[in-house]
Amino acid sequence: MPLIKAENIEYSHGPLSVIDDISFCVEEGDFISIIGPSGCGKTTLLKIIGGLIPGFNGNLAVKGGSLDLAVRRRDFGFVFQDPVLLPWRTVLQNLELPLEIIGGRAQSDEPQKLLGSLGLDGFGGYYPQQLSGGMQQRVAIARALVYNPGILLMDEPFGSLDEFTREKLQIELLKVWQATNKTVLFVTHSISEAVFVSNKIIVLSERPAKIIGIREIDMPYPRTLEIKQTPEFIKHVSWLRQILKRSLQ
């Protein structure tokens, strides 16, 4: 049974059709990227999957049950392009915020462990304005993981970062993914980034979004930056560029 099964998902915003008849499956432990032209509905699809946008048509099952049940179980963790850290709270206090909201408590030193796993040892007492953009995004990732959701939904999390920081965080994210066995759905505009991090890529058309291609990325993990120079990597990038180019003609 797939972890997530989407069947004939459609969504309109007033008279504007945004998503049209999208179906796909996500297996447990997948790292799936969603790419497509700007404004095509990638973020909308991600928010529908996470229960943030109601009123869609079609069927969406999580672990064989309803989306509402998945939301109540807190199956989803969210990371967006803007880290949205509260400036009056320290890094550690921002990280613990979801636990306060749901009335839970961190098990042992889990928040501190998450900071360490993302290269933030010693920064728990700092405030967001004292951190670089890349460090703030690390905090946002740790915050999404602190209550141990099984599914991580990420919307352009590295889109505002410079290339060097972006590549560093891609590697760190893959390490966390492999260590925790989370399932990740990752929206990006970068074809190269999608190929580097994913085991599967879903390609969307212009709005209203339809699936125009699904690409299996069968390169082994762990991945290093050197893989971007290999013929196999370049072949995947070229295929994705061509299918997107044809869809825009």
Side-chain angles (χ1 to χ4, degrees):
M1 179 187 300
L3 181 66
I4 300 173
K5 187 174 183 179
E7 295 181 295
N8 311 117
I9 302 298
E10 297 180 349
Y11 178 75
S12 296
H13 184 69
L16 181 67
S17 178
V18 181
I19 292 174
D20 182 24
D21 196 23
I22 282 183
S23 301
F24 62 92
C25 291
V26 178
E27 303 296 334
E28 187 170 2
D30 270 345
F31 196 125
I32 295 179
S33 286
I34 302 171
I35 65 172
S38 295
C40 73
K42 300 184 294 296
T43 295
T44 298
L45 178 60
L46 197 72
K47 288 181 176 179
I48 287 172
I49 293 167
L52 297 181
I53 296 181
F56 63 90
N57 295 319
N59 298 307
L60 186 57
V62 182
K63 297 181 181 177
S66 70
L67 178 59
D68 286 344
L69 178 59
V71 171
R72 292 198 298 272
R73 285 193 306 245
R74 301 185 181 92
D75 284 346
F76 303 106
F78 297 90
V79 183
F80 300 104
Q81 184 169 348
D82 186 347
V84 198
L85 303 177
L86 299 180
W88 59 89
R89 295 179 68 114
T90 66
V91 165
L92 188 58
Q93 289 169 343
N94 268 283
L95 182 55
E96 293 172 338
L97 181 60
L99 298 173
E100 296 174 17
I101 292 172
I102 66 178
R105 297 180 61 188
Q107 295 183 357
S108 65
D109 56 351
E110 187 63 22
Q112 291 285 4
K113 287 181 179 178
L114 282 169
L115 291 178
S117 69
L118 286 160
L120 290 168
D121 265 333
F123 287 93
Y126 282 58
Y127 288 88
Q129 60 268 28
Q130 296 175 292
L131 306 180
S132 68
M135 294 172 76
Q136 290 184 29
Q137 200 57 277
R138 288 184 178 95
V139 178
I141 294 170
R143 183 181 57 193
L145 294 169
V146 75
Y147 55 90
N148 197 31
I151 303 165
L152 197 58
L153 304 179
M154 309 186 76
D155 185 19
E156 286 280 339
F158 310 143
S160 63
L161 303 176
D162 65 84
E163 190 67 18
F164 177 79
T165 303
R166 187 169 184 152
E167 288 182 336
K168 188 173 183 179
L169 286 183
Q170 289 167 7
I171 292 172
E172 291 181 3
L173 175 60
L174 287 178
K175 288 179 180 178
V176 170
W177 169 65
Q178 289 188 283
T180 60
N181 196 37
K182 302 297 182 189
T183 302
V184 180
L185 275 76
F186 185 93
V187 167
T188 179
H189 283 97
S190 169
I191 295 174
S192 176
E193 179 172 71
V195 173
F196 183 71
V197 297
S198 310
N199 69 293
K200 184 188 294 183
I201 298 173
I202 295 172
V203 188
L204 301 184
S205 69
E206 287 190 294
R207 190 178 63 236
K210 299 176 180 286
I211 293 179
I212 56 173
I214 295 179
R215 184 75 167 179
E216 300 280 348
I217 308 297
D218 53 1
M219 298 181 297
Y221 294 95
R223 293 178 184 170
T224 64
L225 295 177
E226 286 71 26
I227 203 170
K228 294 185 178 184
Q229 310 303 319
T230 63
E232 187 175 11
F233 185 93
I234 294 168
K235 181 179 68 175
H236 286 304
V237 170
S238 177
W239 186 89
L240 291 162
R241 282 180 176 158
Q242 288 300 314
I243 194 170
L244 281 169
K245 183 178 178 180
R246 287 198 299 270
S247 74
L248 294 173
Q249 291 176 346

